[in-house]
Amino acid sequence: MSVIVIEFMTLDGRVADPDGRGGTPTGGWAFRHGPQTAAGDKFQLGQIMDDGVMLLGRRTWELFSHIWPERDDPFSARMNAIPKLVASRTLTDVSAWSNSQIIDGDPIAAIKSQQRDVIITGSLSIVGSLMAHDLIDEYRLLIFPTVLGAGDQLFPANRPPLYLECRSAELIGAAILTRYERSAQ
């Protein structure tokens, strides 16, 4: 079992509001380069989407639950079919998006109990908790040629060092897909 974080990111490490739906002043930066840069399986998850599970926080789940169920292309079919675990203290109904279930209890315990690969997208508070517990095995980052200077960061200041090994880097449209794994150090 591997825990894989996938994120759209700017050159200065910002991950907040890539599509602009959050209404932030700098939102929409990822789609400034056209939908082809962000569409489909840009994170090259392939079989992991067929055999794994997604972990989403409430806000990311709510956003996605308004996007994916209406689409019927092959990638959207995978997004709709994958089991989805939702970490939320406030949601009571996740029937709006198929194969979704609310985590009963601690998200960290839910991850530790998984026998399959776990994909996390967005959901910075969950990613931060998993970082603090050293549970993330891989980061797949689609890095866009944009510098925002403000906004939420995947790797915020004042956190312990994190040592990673770059496994690949590939140009995907206007962005670069990078894959990093935890270093053995």
Side-chain angles (χ1 to χ4, degrees):
M1 186 271 294
S2 290
V3 177
I4 302 165
V5 169
I6 62 173
E7 297 282 350
F8 291 155
M9 181 185 285
T10 64
L11 280 175
D12 61 341
R14 311 299 171 167
V15 294
D17 202 10
D19 69 354
R21 293 173 197 247
T24 64
T26 57
W29 50 267
F31 293 89
R32 184 178 154 261
H33 302 283
Q36 69 282 1
T37 300
D41 189 9
K42 298 300 186 205
F43 291 100
Q44 301 175 357
L45 295 166
Q47 191 68 35
I48 297 169
M49 289 189 71
D50 297 331
D51 301 331
V53 61
M54 286 192 93
L55 172 63
L56 303 160
R58 177 193 53 82
R59 285 184 296 196
T60 303
W61 182 88
E62 286 176 336
L63 172 68
F64 284 10
S65 72
H66 289 96
I67 296 172
W68 296 108
E70 303 303 318
R71 297 181 180 177
D72 62 0
D73 60 273
F75 181 73
S76 297
R78 277 182 150 166
M79 285 293 287
N80 291 324
I82 191 170
K84 293 163 269 300
L85 301 176
V86 184
S88 175
R89 293 181 201 97
T90 57
L91 277 178
T92 57
D93 180 14
V94 291
S95 63
W97 193 14
S98 62
N99 301 314
S100 296
Q101 88 177 56
I102 296 172
I103 293 173
D104 185 27
D106 178 28
I108 300 300
I111 293 303
K112 288 181 177 180
S113 71
Q114 288 299 310
Q115 300 296 314
R116 54 196 166 176
D117 291 330
V118 178
I119 303 163
I120 303 142
T121 186
S123 310
L124 282 183
S125 62
I126 294 170
V127 171
S129 294
L130 294 172
M131 281 181 186
H133 286 88
D134 196 28
L135 292 175
I136 299 172
D137 300 297
E138 182 178 348
Y139 295 87
R140 294 188 188 188
L141 309 174
L142 196 57
I143 302 173
F144 289 79
T146 302
V147 175
L148 297 178
D152 295 334
Q153 294 181 283
L154 179 60
F155 306 108
N158 302 321
R159 62 156 275 109
L162 178 62
Y163 299 100
L164 303 169
E165 293 181 27
C166 183
R167 294 297 184 193
S168 65
E170 176 183 348
L171 187 62
I172 306 282
I176 296 175
L177 175 65
T178 58
R179 292 178 59 182
Y180 298 94
E181 292 178 2
R182 267 191 304 194
S183 175
Q185 296 179 359

